[in-house]
Amino acid sequence: MKAMQEDGVGALYKKYEELKQRLEQEGYFEEKHKQNIPKMPKVIGILTSQTGSVIKDIINVSTRRNPNVYIKLLPVPVQGEGAAEKIAEGIKIMNEKKLADVLILARGGGSLEDLWPFNEEIVAHAIYNSEIPIISAVGHETDFSISDFVADLRAPTPSAAAELAVPDIYEINQKINTYQNRLRLSLIKKVEIMKLRYEKCISSRIFKEPVRNINDNYLKIDTYVKRLENVIKNKHKEEQTKYIELISKLDALSPLKTLTRGYSLVEKDGKIIKSVKEINDGDKMDIRFIDGKKQAQILS
């Protein structure tokens, strides 16, 4: 069985696949090169035909979602010879003059040949080099063009592109009101908690009778001081008793104590003589009595 196809479409599709593969290899489709779409853009730039339903749909959706958004249309041909160059030039002008916060590149559905300007390499380069984020909305939901892959975001239809570019101000207001209510309830709860803490503090004896609390603490300190004084006195008494006992023991062992009982001590050269073997005939010695001492000499 032989397949049939429209004359020229097969060649265009082959050219489309070859360019897509080459640009993909060169990194034109990588996520790291894609920019984020601003959450609250003030100016929406539109590159499309100034006639037809596309621009009307975008304006209707955009103004419905946010009446304050400003739309700038730069009319460009969306099909036919020279359209790709005009589209690329429009993207360049929008960037050089900084005319918008986000760009929508759009056209309605059509055949591969009708959509071909958006598959041209010059358009792919312009989208890739754009400093303004670009949303590509070319054709119907099932149509995919090179511009869809290079753009920062793809929308299935022009109306969907407007929804992606323009936030719903009414939904945002509703969220703000919800957050305000949550904050208000949170503050009310916080105030109630602080009020309970305040009342608890006020009802505390510390706040009701501050002087009494001080006096109670003073009495506690006075009690602690008296206890410490008693401990010191008892310790001193114990140490004094031990000292007296030691003095008594030392006094009882003192050789001078024996003199009171009628004994005397014999000393030679300052040393007490304990044996006759320690002295010789003619040695001079001191005899110590309770009331003094006398010198004596050994005769025999």
Side-chain angles (χ1 to χ4, degrees), residues 31 94 158:
E31 287 294 328
M94 282 286 193

Side-chain angles (χ1 to χ4, degrees), residues 125-285:
H125 288 317
I127 295 173
Y128 184 79
N129 295 320
S130 175
E131 295 181 0
I132 302 174
I134 294 179
I135 300 175
S136 176
V138 178
H140 295 302
E141 188 171 353
T142 56
D143 298 323
F144 280 87
S145 62
I146 296 295
S147 63
D148 291 335
F149 296 111
V150 184
D152 300 296
L153 185 63
R154 176 191 181 262
T157 63
S159 297
E163 292 182 355
L164 293 171
V166 182
D168 190 339
I169 195 69
Y170 304 102
E171 183 180 340
I172 292 175
N173 285 333
Q174 187 176 2
K175 286 184 178 179
I176 291 174
N177 291 333
T178 301
Y179 293 147
Q180 286 179 338
N181 289 333
R182 288 180 182 176
L183 179 61
R184 182 175 59 83
L185 294 175
S186 178
L187 288 175
I188 291 174
K189 188 175 181 180
K190 186 70 173 179
V191 170
E192 290 177 351
I193 293 174
M194 295 302 293
K195 183 179 179 181
L196 290 173
R197 289 181 179 176
Y198 172 77
E199 291 175 351
K200 185 177 180 180
C201 290
I202 293 301
S203 62
S204 174
R205 188 170 66 86
I206 295 176
F207 283 86
K208 282 186 173 180
E209 302 175 356
V211 176
R212 180 178 176 181
N213 186 65
I214 294 173
N215 290 334
D216 290 345
N217 288 330
Y218 178 79
L219 291 175
K220 288 181 181 180
I221 294 174
D222 186 60
T223 301
Y224 294 147
V225 170
K226 288 181 179 180
R227 287 180 183 176
L228 183 60
E229 288 177 348
N230 290 333
V231 170
I232 293 174
K233 287 180 181 179
N234 292 334
K235 190 68 176 176
H236 180 264
K237 189 174 181 179
E238 290 178 3
E239 295 297 325
Q240 189 177 30
T241 301
K242 290 180 180 179
Y243 175 76
I244 293 173
E245 290 177 354
L246 290 174
I247 291 297
S248 298
K249 290 180 180 180
L250 183 63
D251 184 63
L253 295 174
S254 174
L256 298 178
K257 189 71 174 178
T258 59
L259 298 180
T260 61
R261 298 195 295 271
Y263 294 95
S264 61
L265 297 175
V266 179
E267 297 177 346
K268 176 183 176 182
D269 298 329
K271 295 181 179 180
I272 296 176
I273 301 301
K274 298 179 180 180
S275 173
V276 293
K277 296 179 180 180
E278 298 178 19
I279 56 177
N280 299 309
D281 293 346
D283 288 344
K284 292 182 178 180
M285 291 170 295

